[in-house]
């Protein structure tokens, strides 16, 4: 019998969560008065391209995804829905009402263009634990969007998260020794998360090139990618952009 060549501790596939916020952004630039682009059509195309999960961020200011979008996507989507949301009572009630498979807790500031930096779980540990306990009653699994820091990984574990998602937005822009230092922090934090039994996810600012690098992060099980895939979809279509990203993840994982 042939020996399996898969390396120990490496799941064979890294799941791809496709973040569709910016499809909704295009609709909302006209105040949501147009029926296009049809978000559900893009959900279908992303899934046809191999998306393992659809990720959406219901922001408190509703700048892109609306409550109706969340309701429709959870109802009709054939793959897991991952709801990114702020740590707040309003958003906890939204999650309990619509029950996505996953919730990813993110920091949120009104003025920011996109999610800047990771959530300070250590500073809000008890508030987050109480939120996680509420979501658990509906079997919603929780991840925390954090900087690659041992402190934040350990606090996420104590707060009851099943996964951590490392914010890669800083790392993708760094060069030389700064990039190498940030990579070391990612590796160290990923190792700690794995030891604690947490799933390792990553996301933010990823494109084809940076995804092929992040795929080599030890224990990585999932990436969530939005802005780049939606931009690429304008040129080649959503299905093709997702298909290509899936190929990159597979190649990166196995190389
Ligand atoms: N993961 C999280 C938690 C995010 O907040 C975002 C941005 O909404 C992403 C991933 C995707 O980032 P990008 O759109 O830069 O790919």
């Amino acid at each position: 019998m042939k020996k399996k060549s898969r390396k120990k501790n490496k799941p064979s596939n890294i799941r791809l969560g496709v973040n569709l916020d910016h499809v909704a952004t295009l609709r909302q630039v006209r105040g949501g008065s147009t029926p296009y682009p049809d978000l559900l059509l893009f959900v279908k195309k992303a899934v046809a391209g191999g998306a393992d999960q659809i990720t959406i961020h219901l922001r408190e200011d509703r700048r892109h995804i609306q409550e109706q979008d969340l309701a429709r996507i959870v109802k009709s989507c054939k793959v897991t829905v991952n709801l990114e949301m702020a740590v707040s009572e309003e958003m906890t009630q939204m999650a309990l009402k619509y029950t996505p498979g996953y919730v990813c807790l993110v920091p949120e500031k009104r003025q920011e263009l996109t999610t800047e930096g990771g959530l300070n779980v250590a500073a809000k540990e008890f508030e987050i634990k109480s939120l996680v306990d509420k979501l658990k009653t509906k079997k919603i699994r929780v991840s925390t969007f954090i900087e690659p820091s041992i402190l934040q990984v350990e606090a996420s574990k104590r707060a009851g998260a099943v996964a951590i998602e490392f914010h890669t937005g800083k790392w993708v822009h760094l060069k030389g020794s700064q990039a190498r230092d940030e990579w070391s922090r990612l590796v160290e934090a990923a190792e700690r998360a794995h030891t604690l039994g947490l799933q390792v996810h990553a996301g933010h600012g990823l494109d084809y090139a940076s995804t092929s690098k992040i795929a080599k992060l030890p224990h990585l099980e999932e990436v969530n990618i939005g802005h780049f895939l939606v931009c690429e979809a304008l040129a080649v279509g959503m299905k093709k952009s997702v298909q290509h990203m899936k190929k990159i993840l597979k190649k990166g994982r196995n190389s």
Side-chain angles (χ1 to χ4, degrees), residues 2 28 41 57 85 104 160 165 181 222 238:
K2 266 191 178 175
Q28 295 308 120
L41 179 67
H57 185 173
M85 60 174 232
C104 179
E165 179 171 329
D181 289 350
E222 177 182 308
M238 180 55 83

Side-chain angles (χ1 to χ4, degrees), residues 136-156:
K136 271 186 187 162
T137 63
K138 296 265 183 171
K139 298 194 167 39
I140 302 169
R141 290 155 292 174
V142 176
S143 68
T144 55
F145 190 47
I146 58 172
E147 296 296 324
S149 130
I150 303 281
L151 177 80
Q152 300 300 339
V153 168
E154 291 177 348
S156 299

Side-chain angles (χ1 to χ4, degrees), residues 1-221:
M1 216 164 68
K2 266 191 178 175
K3 267 192 184 171
K4 281 189 183 163
S5 63
R6 196 175 295 157
K7 288 181 192 159
K8 221 180 165 188
N9 286 336
K10 276 193 173 184
S12 56
N13 277 320
I14 298 167
R15 291 190 302 275
L16 174 60
V18 176
N19 180 316
L20 292 175
D21 291 351
H22 296 304
V23 174
T25 300
L26 276 178
R27 184 193 60 203
Q28 295 308 120
V29 287
R30 294 272 165 103
S33 62
T34 58
Y36 59 83
D38 175 359
L39 206 47
L40 291 186
L41 179 67
F42 283 84
V43 168
K44 275 194 196 144
K45 301 246 180 213
V47 173
D52 301 288
Q53 163 170 289
I54 295 297
T55 296
I56 46 174
H57 185 173
L58 184 66
R59 280 186 167 264
E60 288 173 329
D61 64 10
R62 306 292 193 272
R63 68 173 74 160
H64 38 54
I65 296 293
Q66 308 296 306
E67 185 179 343
Q68 272 279 29
D69 297 323
L70 170 63
R72 288 203 191 117
I73 290 175
V74 169
K75 198 168 166 212
S76 67
C77 188
K78 301 259 185 291
V79 296
T80 308
V81 176
N82 175 33
L83 173 65
E84 295 173 357
M85 60 174 232
V87 178
S88 74
E89 186 52 31
E90 183 211 351
M91 294 314 304
T92 306
Q93 292 310 319
M94 285 287 169
L96 291 171
K97 184 170 173 190
Y98 295 108
T99 62
Y102 266 94
V103 153
C104 179
L105 297 176
V106 301
E108 209 175 288
K109 293 188 216 112
R110 290 272 159 136
Q111 305 306 325
E112 68 189 358
L113 291 177
T114 180
T115 318
E116 289 166 4
L119 184 66
N120 191 346
V121 182
K124 293 184 167 201
E125 198 178 309
F126 295 107
E127 190 186 345
I128 292 174
K129 183 164 187 330
S130 129
L131 188 164
V132 172
D133 287 344
K134 284 183 196 159
L135 298 189
K136 271 186 187 162
T137 63
K138 296 265 183 171
K139 298 194 167 39
I140 302 169
R141 290 155 292 174
V142 176
S143 68
T144 55
F145 190 47
I146 58 172
E147 296 296 324
S149 130
I150 303 281
L151 177 80
Q152 300 300 339
V153 168
E154 291 177 348
S156 299
K157 175 69 184 179
R158 287 193 300 271
V162 297
I164 43 82
E165 179 171 329
F166 292 128
H167 194 311
T168 49
K170 185 169 147 200
W171 168 73
V172 295
H173 294 297
L174 293 174
K175 302 257 178 297
S177 66
Q178 285 187 322
R180 285 193 291 280
D181 289 350
E182 183 71 1
W183 180 256
S184 303
R185 278 191 282 277
L186 281 161
V187 171
E188 200 189 348
E191 294 290 1
R192 184 72 188 128
H194 182 70
T195 306
L196 292 174
L198 292 166
Q199 289 174 35
V200 177
H201 303 174
H204 210 280
L206 295 170
D207 59 10
Y208 292 144
S210 48
T211 299
S212 83
K213 291 185 198 155
I214 201 74
K216 294 178 179 63
L217 185 70
H219 315 296
L220 186 68
E221 290 189 40

